């Protein structure tokens, strides 16, 4: 029986390990109570159980808040997060939410920031002309939008710094476009294939091992089981984060090796 079911049945409070009030839930997630209630009003959290006038939240609610925070920190809008959470199977547990979070954020790095025009210049390290900003937008290195007050904001994307350096080298714009298209085309395909490898070779074997190797100790839905699920999921997230860094290093080294081979073949032909 789940902890929430025990609350609804009126069992003693000692059996309700892992349950939190909204204040405790917000504190555990690193959010304000107001923000937590706002997310709940959007339907991002399932309804809590109630004992009298008190609402109780379990580990699944906390896992969902952690998912929301992780996706927001990587630039996803609340609308996109809402659509994604709505697509999850009903009753998805803490472990699966942690896996989903790790998969969705496995290749992302620092979150993008919305900047004013002056802050964008500061981020670039020099004053950018309007034509340069327009070119950066065209190349997908800057996104223009508006904030909640309707003011124009600029979001530099990953690769912005490199592109600004290319502008300083006075490389012909058509060449920059071709290079950007080539990089985007191949990296998109690589990211998709590597994500498939990660899913089938790391996540699925881990999930099968958890399902088949836990035995009768998972029949009780007590606090130790929930704690074990969270610890296991945290270890998987750490593994994926380490694999991400090793994979990025391998990509750079692999490109260098391929470039050297190309140069060697060119020299041999000449």
């Amino acid at each position: 029986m789940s902890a929430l079911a025990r609350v609804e049945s009126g069992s003693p409070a000692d059996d309700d390990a892992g349950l939190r009030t909204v204040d405790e839930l917000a504190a555990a997630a690193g959010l304000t109570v107001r923000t937590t209630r706002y997310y709940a009003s959007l339907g991002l959290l399932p309804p809590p159980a109630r004992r009298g006038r008190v609402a109780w939240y379990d580990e699944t609610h906390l896992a969902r808040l952690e998912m929301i925070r992780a996706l927001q920190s990587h630039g996803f809008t609340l609308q996109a997060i809402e659509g994604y959470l709505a697509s999850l199977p009903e009753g998805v547990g803490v472990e699966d939410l942690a896996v989903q979070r790790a998969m969705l954020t496995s290749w992302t790095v620092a979150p993008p920031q919305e900047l004013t025009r002056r802050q964008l210049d500061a981020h670039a390290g020099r004053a950018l002309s309007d034509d340069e900003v327009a070119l950066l937008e065209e190349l997908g290195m800057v996104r223009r939008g508006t904030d909640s007050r309707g003011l124009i904001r600029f979001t530099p994307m990953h690769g912005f710094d490199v592109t600004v350096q290319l502008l300083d080298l006075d490389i012909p714009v058509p060449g920059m476009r071709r290079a950007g298209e080539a990089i985007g085309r191949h990296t998109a395909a690589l990211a998709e294939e590597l994500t498939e490898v990660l899913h089938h070779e790391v996540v699925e074997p881990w999930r099968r091992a958890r399902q088949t190797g836990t035995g009768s100790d998972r029949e009780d839905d007590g606090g130790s089981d929930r704690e074990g699920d969270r610890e296991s999921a945290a270890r998987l997230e750490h593994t994926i984060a380490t694999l991400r860094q090793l994979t990025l290093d391998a990509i750079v080294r692999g490109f260098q090796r391929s470039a050297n081979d190309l140069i060697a073949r060119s020299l041999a032909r000449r």
Side-chain angles (χ1 to χ4, degrees):
M1 183 189 302
S2 70
L4 285 181
R6 286 196 293 270
V7 170
E8 291 171 337
S9 67
S11 299
D14 291 343
D15 292 338
D16 299 336
L19 293 181
R20 299 175 172 88
T21 64
V22 67
D23 299 74
E24 293 167 339
L25 177 67
L31 298 169
T32 65
V33 173
R34 181 178 181 180
T35 299
T36 302
R37 292 187 187 279
Y38 175 63
Y39 290 161
S41 71
L42 295 178
L44 301 181
L45 300 179
R50 293 188 175 275
R51 176 185 285 138
R53 300 179 62 182
V54 180
W56 293 95
Y57 301 83
D58 65 5
E59 292 295 318
T60 303
H61 294 95
L62 178 58
R64 279 182 173 256
L65 288 177
E66 290 171 343
M67 168 81 83
I68 295 167
R69 289 197 65 187
L71 294 177
Q72 279 190 309
S73 71
H74 287 85
F76 294 93
T77 65
L78 275 179
Q79 184 178 6
I81 296 171
E82 182 179 3
Y84 175 74
L85 290 177
S87 71
L88 294 177
E90 185 177 354
V92 62
V94 173
E95 199 170 278
D96 283 328
L97 286 170
V99 171
Q100 294 286 341
R101 183 174 71 244
M103 287 294 295
L104 288 170
T105 61
S106 57
W107 305 118
T108 50
V109 286
Q113 296 178 312
E114 288 187 345
L115 306 176
T116 65
R117 183 66 172 81
R118 180 176 297 180
Q119 290 172 332
L120 184 67
D121 287 347
H123 186 70
R126 66 172 179 82
L128 296 168
S129 69
D130 291 342
D131 288 342
E132 287 176 324
V133 172
L135 178 58
L136 289 167
E137 288 185 75
E138 181 184 343
L139 296 174
M141 293 296 104
V142 170
R143 290 180 182 172
R144 184 191 300 255
T146 56
D147 62 13
S148 58
R149 296 175 296 174
L151 300 176
I152 295 177
R153 292 291 183 263
F154 300 87
T155 303
M157 309 307 294
H158 304 306
F160 173 85
D161 298 339
V162 174
T163 307
V164 170
Q165 293 180 53
L166 290 176
L167 291 177
D168 293 336
L169 293 177
D170 197 26
I171 294 178
V173 172
M176 293 179 61
R177 288 197 184 98
R178 288 187 59 191
E181 290 170 357
I183 292 172
R185 182 171 61 255
H186 292 289
T187 53
L190 181 61
E192 183 174 352
E193 186 169 348
L194 289 176
T195 299
E196 284 293 312
V197 171
L198 181 65
H199 177 75
H200 291 292
E201 303 298 333
V202 178
V203 174
E204 283 304 315
W206 174 86
R207 182 175 282 157
R208 287 195 297 271
R210 292 286 296 165
Q211 291 173 344
T212 60
T214 50
S216 60
D217 60 334
R218 289 179 61 85
E219 292 180 3
D220 178 21
D221 192 29
S224 60
D225 293 332
R226 288 191 298 272
E227 183 177 348
D229 286 347
R230 292 183 65 83
E231 290 178 354
S232 178
R235 287 195 297 271
L236 176 67
E237 285 193 82
H238 175 73
T239 298
I240 291 177
T242 304
L243 281 173
R244 176 189 67 189
Q245 186 57 54
L246 293 175
T247 301
L248 294 176
D249 291 343
I251 290 171
V252 172
R253 297 178 189 278
F255 178 82
Q256 292 172 333
R257 184 168 57 251
S258 296
N260 287 339
D261 291 344
L262 178 62
I263 294 171
R265 291 196 300 270
S266 178
L267 291 175
R269 286 196 300 270
R270 294 187 181 186

